[in-house]
Amino acid sequence: MAEHISTTELGNRDFFIRRWQQEHPAFVEVFMALPPDRLDHRPHSASRSAGELVALLVSAERSCVELCETGRSSYNSGLRFHPTDGLTNLNEMIAKYEQYHRVLADQLNSLTDATWNRPAWLTRGEQEIILKDTVGGLLWIALFDAVHHRGQLRTYIRPMGGKVPSIYGPSADAPARQ
């Protein structure tokens, strides 16, 4: 029989906040492992470059801030798939990511369950609704998508000449994170 470890039950919002906070260091470590002079690296002409992926992840964090901050129901209000606001320097992108992360932490901790469960949708452009969910549901989707793109970016590091950091366990270049 499995031993049950007694813990406090978490609601969906609190579990999201915990998971989102636990994923944060791995994002920063992957960004920092990228050789800053190789951000134009792309494994295939149809793939995003390393710099574009970092910019996408910064933009996704900003879009989550906007979703929580503005009360708009559209998640895609400001998502940028390619750097358009001058963020092409790795250190600047990491600083922006960290800034948005701190702002989002404050916003997530002040969201009510009513706001978390409010209907929201992902749009393309101004008209087309791609996905309907809740604010919380869209934040979960954003986290899953960010983790996916972090994994994609992590596969770029070694071919770029960098050392692959640990995420959930050791890599060939780094021991498991504590």
Side-chain angles (χ1 to χ4, degrees):
M1 178 180 267
E3 183 180 325
H4 178 70
I5 298 173
S6 178
T7 61
T8 303
E9 278 192 43
L10 296 175
N12 185 272
R13 184 179 60 87
D14 291 329
F15 181 63
F16 173 84
I17 292 169
R18 178 184 285 182
R19 187 74 253 150
W20 173 77
Q21 288 172 331
Q22 289 171 337
E23 295 294 339
H24 176 257
F27 280 97
V28 175
E29 288 175 22
V30 166
F31 296 157
M32 292 176 66
L34 295 166
D37 60 337
R38 300 282 320 274
L39 295 182
D40 59 342
H41 174 80
R42 63 181 78 232
H44 186 274
S45 61
S47 300
R48 289 189 179 104
S49 71
E52 289 168 341
L53 281 172
V54 176
L56 172 68
L57 291 165
V58 171
S59 181
E61 198 81 351
R62 185 191 68 221
S63 292
C64 290
V65 166
E66 291 174 359
L67 177 63
C68 293
E69 184 177 75
T70 65
R72 289 181 59 171
S73 295
S74 170
Y75 171 71
N76 201 21
S77 61
L79 188 61
R80 306 277 189 276
F81 289 101
H82 301 286
T84 59
D85 52 5
L87 284 181
T88 56
N89 175 285
L90 183 59
N91 288 330
E92 290 173 2
M93 288 191 284
I94 293 170
K96 277 295 188 189
Y97 182 84
E98 293 278 41
Q99 175 189 342
Y100 294 136
H101 184 82
R102 286 188 299 275
V103 172
L104 186 55
D106 291 339
Q107 292 174 341
L108 288 171
N109 286 305
S110 65
L111 280 183
T112 64
D113 286 338
T115 301
W116 179 261
N117 293 310
R118 179 176 42 94
W121 43 91
L122 178 66
T123 63
R124 180 179 299 150
E126 294 296 319
Q127 301 294 323
E128 185 181 359
I129 295 175
I130 297 173
L131 177 68
K132 290 183 179 184
D133 207 316
T134 61
V135 168
L138 291 182
L139 289 168
W140 273 111
I141 291 167
L143 178 60
F144 295 147
D145 190 57
V147 167
H148 159 76
H149 287 297
R150 179 187 67 201
Q152 181 183 11
L153 186 59
R154 186 174 184 254
T155 68
Y156 288 25
I157 295 171
R158 190 168 289 116
M160 291 171 67
K163 302 264 185 218
V164 178
S166 166
I167 293 184
Y168 301 120
S171 75
D173 300 324
R177 272 191 298 117
Q178 299 299 320

